[in-house]
Amino acid sequence: MKKTLIACACVLLALALTSGKKNDGVMTVENGVYVVNTTTLCKDVVGYEGPTPLKVYIKGNKIQKVEFLPNQETPRYWKACAKHLETKWDGMAVKKVMTTKVDGRTGATFSSDAVKKNVQAAAEYYLKNK
């Protein structure tokens, strides 16, 4: 009887500890690196032509890299935007993302603004859900 009660208590404790974590597919962990995918998180954040999803890789509370995902932006402008912004957050503390002003790419203002909003949303999501 005691063993059954202890086993039930352990199961309930495990459920309680894991129930607070979201499993919405927005954030995954790969080899100790948190990956926040903004595809659904920022579906309403749009550039010039539509949503501008990213993957933001975070390790040790610092952004490792930002990966630009396929979208409907004009390829020429998106490529220029990505080239200009892709390393702006590398090594930056996640908390600093919220207050740091990053210059966008001239000629790709809408896309740049959307990328910056995506990175900020990813950082905020990480801080709330890690």
Side-chain angles (χ1 to χ4, degrees):
M1 181 72 167
K2 275 186 176 180
K3 287 182 182 180
T4 304
L5 287 174
I6 291 172
C8 287
C10 288
V11 170
L12 289 174
L13 179 61
L15 287 172
L17 291 173
T18 59
S19 66
K21 298 270 186 192
K22 288 186 179 183
N23 190 9
D24 54 11
V26 172
M27 186 164 62
T28 58
V29 182
E30 300 171 7
N31 299 319
V33 177
Y34 287 85
V35 181
V36 181
N37 185 326
T38 67
T39 301
T40 58
L41 180 65
C42 296
K43 62 184 173 197
D44 296 329
V45 175
V46 295
Y48 190 75
E49 294 289 331
T52 54
L54 307 170
K55 281 187 179 178
V56 180
Y57 295 77
I58 303 167
K59 184 175 184 178
N61 290 320
K62 292 187 177 185
I63 294 183
Q64 299 298 297
K65 73 175 183 172
V66 175
E67 178 183 342
F68 291 68
L69 300 176
N71 58 64
Q72 299 302 310
E73 297 294 277
T74 305
R76 179 174 139 212
Y77 294 107
W78 184 245
K79 185 177 179 182
C81 177
K83 185 177 179 181
H84 178 77
L85 292 173
E86 67 186 341
T87 60
K88 296 290 185 184
W89 295 275
D90 290 2
M92 186 180 292
V94 176
K95 287 184 179 180
K96 191 173 180 185
V97 170
M98 310 312 287
T99 58
T100 300
K101 302 282 186 206
V102 174
D103 289 332
R105 171 73 163 106
T106 303
T109 305
F110 292 111
S111 299
S112 295
D113 288 345
V115 168
K116 291 186 279 185
K117 288 176 185 174
N118 272 271
V119 172
Q120 287 179 336
E124 193 173 316
Y125 186 90
Y126 166 79
L127 290 171
K128 288 181 181 176
N129 297 286
K130 66 178 176 173

